[in-house]
Amino acid sequence: MSDHQGGGYYLPSPSGWPIVGSTALALFACGMVLWANSLPGGWLVLAGLGVLFYMMFGWFGKVIAESESGKYNAQVDRSFRWGMSWFIFSEVMFFAAFFGALFYARILSVPWLGEGDTHDMLWSGFKAAWPTAGPLGAKMIAPMAEAGKGEFAPMAALGVPALNTLILLTSGVTLTIAHWGLKKGNRGQLIFWLALTVALGVSFLYFQATEYHEAYTKMGLTLGAGIYGSTFFMLTGFHGFHVTIGTIMLLVILIRCMKGHFKPDQHFAFEAVSWYWHFVDVVWLGLFVFVYWL
Amino acid sequence: MEATHAHGQDHAHDHGHGHPTGLMRWVTTTNHKDIGTLYLWFSFIMLLSGGTLALLIRAELFEPGMQIMRPEFFNQLTTMHGLIMVFGAIMPAFVGFANWQVPMMIGAPDMAFPRMNNWSFWLLPVAASLLIGSFFVPGGASAGGWTMYAPLFLQGGISNDMTIFAVHILGISSIMGAINIVTTILNLRAPGMTLMKMPLFVWTWLITAYLLIAVMPVLAGAVTMLLTDRHFGTSFFNAAGGGDPVMFQHIFWFFGHPEVYIMILPAFGIISQIIPTFSRKPLFGYASMVYATSSIAILSFMVWAHHMFTVGLPTAAQLFFMYATMLIAIPTGVKVFNWIATMWKGSMTFETPMLFAIAFVCLFTIGGFSGLVLAITPVDIQLQDTYYVVAHFHYVLVSGALFSIFAGVYFWLPKWTGHMYDEKLGKLHFWLSTIFFNVLFFPMHFLGLAGMPRRIPDYALQFADWNKVASIGAFGFGLSQLILLVVVLKCIKGGVKAEGRAWEGADSLEWTHLPSPAPYHTFETPPTVN
Amino acid sequence: MLRKMRSLGLGWGAFLMSMAARAQESKYNLPTPESTVAHQIYDLHILIMWVCVAIFVVVFGVMFYSILKHRKSLGHKAAHFHENTQIEIIWTVIPFAILIAMAIPASKTILNMRDASNPDMTVKVVAYQWKWEYEYPAEGIKFLSNLATPRDQIEGTAPKGDHYLLEVDNPLVVPVGKKVRLLLTANDVIHSWAVQAFGIKQDAIPGFIKDTWFKADKPGTYRGQCSELCGKDHGFMPIVVEVKTQEDYDKWVAAQKAKNAAVTMDPNKTYSLAEMKAHGEKVYATNCAACHQPTGAGMPPVFPALTGSAVVTGPKAGHIDIVMNGGKKNPAMVAWAKTLSDVDIAAVITYERNALGNATGEVIQPAEIKALRK
Ligand code: HEA
Ligand code: HEA
Ligand code: CUA
Ligand SMILES: [Cu+2]
């Protein structure tokens, strides 16, 4: 295999990893379709995820090796920066769709259900207020949540969510301290504070898991709890998923730091992960304000 | 469309180190030209597939009564035709052009992320298999329209889930492709190639890529909500749970309207390369073209509800969206006027690319005007969901997007293959396409005005005549496309050798700095642009 | 200006119309408007169409002039200008002015058409897959409106009638010259109620009431079609409005009330198997056959077969439950308790259990259904 230099710009030689990735997504999609329809073949989901991890391991491993062997120049570095920024922007837009749904429901559709002809002719008795499971929400919850018996309690902002806010904000700070360590060439500081960040990420996830458990077993708050349950779980769920990814990325970076990767003046992978982490942080603030608090 | 020469011209240091050959060459390639070729062939196959579905639609609509299929199958055809044409034929074709041309036009060695580039392409066959495969599952393919409106889409079998995941995968592909293009344009330009010196095709793609990055994730969100409403008990689109079916439409069209500009801005770019070339005169109003394209992109985020004038929006919203939509006519008009001013006092010749470009300007404008008619809310209320809308969007999509693709293929074939295409056959393709296109779609304006709803397999007797005409046009138009296939294959096989600067008036880098066919690796050392 | 455009438009329309061979319905243009709003829309469309045609002729006149004159084969040498701020400003400002001129009448029409206040009467319209239900709350009248075109016309085994696919069994009937307010909703998916002659198209959204209104100029029969994709029979749910003089309308209302009284079956009576089956067959044909098919074979996997179905041949409680409360997995199977009477539900269940290849011998009585309603 030879790689190609284009005026100093590193151009990789042909690669088998993308097609592995496509295979992974094909398996995953087929598995999800079958599983969602209660047909046999749900294991394909796991197979797909397995292949996907294999791909990431191999692909990113190759990128790391290339980076460490000094094949990337400053222009390549800039490309990575542009790429990562726009990737994060696309993630912002993904969350925007769900925030949009939340605002639409709160500001427009729920009030509409509670007023005028719609209310009088179709849903008389329904009082529009937030949080709500909708006019028939209670009936729809019943089969799903045993504990709530057709009722649900919204998630309060104080308590676990506030704690989690604190955790994520702190993790932003610890990550920055770690970054300073890297820039100063102080490995001890880098590794300690980075490890702490990972730990905070894990504890965030732990608390979120307990919160979900509580919601499902004690509060009657499920995905089926009308529009409140839908927006609550989809927003916090996708956020939690991103925290999981972020934590794994931090862990990878931590391992690389321990192996002695990165230089004080060249460590884009570290920065990319920290951008991502801060993005996840900011999304959480939005969630805290609009989902839990207001 | 460059299959024959590629390896022979490789550079010395890139030889014989076990680069895969045969099929694996295409599967593992990281070369922008190979990937561009893959995109273009994929798109052509999808055009034939989606076109075949359209011909089935037109066959059923040839005369009143149900002749060859059941209504539910008709709806599947309509839905899949829309999805395959939009996501399979038009969008990949433009990405194919971007892959081939952007690096060459800005003096870059390749795309910024060659491996990711490969992945963007190789996700498409996966998504296409899910879509086309859904015809063969119990219950048949998705039948809720390409717009996938809830709650209709919540009904229906597993094919709807296949469509949802296909859309997810297409979204991932588009986002990665767009990030690649943005990064390439921003970071890999040759020294001296300032933004305001870039060929307009590159500009339009830069802006299109931003649109893609901004709206594909929103579509992914919308179909994810459909999925959870279908299977996991959420109530996004169910009033009983506090949701609203109309909310789906808002989210979908927030994606959907920018999407239609995703399918036309690169077309504007291609046309802006071709018209100056064959007028032998620089593009008129380059700067205003750039500003107009940007304005169209920005406005496109503020007009989505013009697809929803009949859902019962608040009056103020109807007014706002009507005004915003009408405004788009201004920057689009600027483009049309600039093209005509470019031709004015030029020294024109009329090779096939130019013919298609002229037809584009003329016929796209007809589509734009019918768009403007639809933008007028009260008139739209008469015409919404009728064949008038079908006529509108085929004028902008077929004689717009598709014709620009044809124009671009003829224009760059010499650069890609090193041979001139057969001009006689090209002209034949042009004339047959243009004539049959109008026979096919112009009568649909009449049908729509007279009140024929879209997405119906059978219709009242007063619509019979024009439907017959349209169906005849459809078969003529469809068969004419086989000529294109012949032209392309002939051109790959051989023909008159093309010079580096195959067209007298061409002046972008790929014509002035590279031989034809363009070498496998371009611009190892960046050219200097003055 | 507007008036001139209008007469021009009408002239052009009339010319085209005279070319129409088969029916009085339009073939080229919007159908003849029959309400104030429809008139305004018609004029607006004609105005904008002609403005666009005019711009088109001017702009492409220039282009084709250039194409004819400035070609290389005539030896024309290319000029080299590529900018002219003045002309660029002109061709930005002029279109803007034209757009404003279009927006003014358009806005007026919107404000007019959205003003549903002070109606003379109100009709509630509920859309189902694939039929309409009209309810006159003030009169206590309520009926379903189904496609009336026979199947063999659609399949081509019989010649097609004049109003092929545009005829219904029970049209909406309204008095002439009265402002009729429609309150629309849907039971399953989105449909759209459209009659072009009145300038109306309004989506019916499940779970929400949306309103619109019209005032018909003169008596007659007006036709439209469902205008939002709503599943397989979307093409087969026409709308027919009969506009009558006040006098005829009053007669119609009286007749309807009388008919209702006669037809209504007593929900407290106990019926025989044959009676329930006979009535059930009718209920099935109008409400259920669209999905479950006249034979009961359904269209698996989406619409289950009823012939031999475990639900239909199993314990009756489960059967009654799904018919009254709708499908758990698939909302297409709606909760019929909301639309059908106790007698209808009892009858259709009895029918299903004793026909379509099933024979349980059970009779369900209206009283059982009544008891289950809360
Ligand atoms: C390439 C794709 C493309 C493009 C470019 C456009 C361009 C436009 N479209 Fe279109 N549209 C679609 C694809 C596209 N559309 C599709 C696919 C649908 C249907 C989706 C579905 O329901 O399935 C649709 C539907 C659609 C609707 C909804 C119809 C309905 O369902 O009821 C409307 C309504 O406003 C509309 C408006 C417009 C307008 C105002 C423009 C403008 O951008 C046009 C601007 C151009 C001009 C006006 C011509 C040039 C200008 C001049 C020469 C200047 C002088 C002119 C004046 C001053 C008038 N479009
Ligand atoms: C994006 C681009 C695009 C393109 C290029 C086309 C191309 C065509 N479309 Fe379009 N169409 C849409 C996008 C497009 N369409 C969309 C988005 C919808 C809305 C869907 C919805 O309602 O949800 C639609 C809906 C639509 C309808 C309305 C259906 C309905 O409402 O029920 C009709 C009806 O005539 C139609 C017809 C055609 C025809 C005849 C062509 C022709 O141009 C096609 C020409 C044919 C070919 C190019 C095929 C050539 C093939 C052969 C000659 C056979 C050889 C075969 C092999 C070798 C395998 N289309
Ligand atoms: Cu009802 Cu379409
Ligand atoms: Cu639009």
Side-chain angles (χ1 to χ4, degrees), chain A residues 209-261:
Chain A
T210 58
E211 180 192 77
Y212 275 21
H213 184 73
E214 185 98 339
Y216 261 79
T217 52
K218 301 221 180 74
M219 303 166 69
L221 176 54
T222 68
L223 266 179
I227 190 69
Y228 180 81
S230 312
T231 49
F232 175 82
F233 281 105
M234 294 303 279
L235 275 164
T236 58
F238 271 115
H239 177 263
F241 175 69
H242 281 78
V243 175
T244 314
I245 303 277
T247 309
I248 295 175
M249 297 196 321
L250 284 171
L251 198 65
V252 172
I253 292 298
L254 177 61
I255 295 170
R256 289 186 62 189
C257 288
M258 287 172 13
K259 279 194 178 165
H261 289 187

Side-chain angles (χ1 to χ4, degrees), chain C residues 128 130 132 190-192 226-230 234 237:
Chain C
Y128 295 85
W130 291 277
W132 299 94
I190 302 176
H191 304 257
S192 189
C226 176
S227 297
E228 182 62 62
L229 179 61
C230 54
H234 161 60
M237 59 184 286

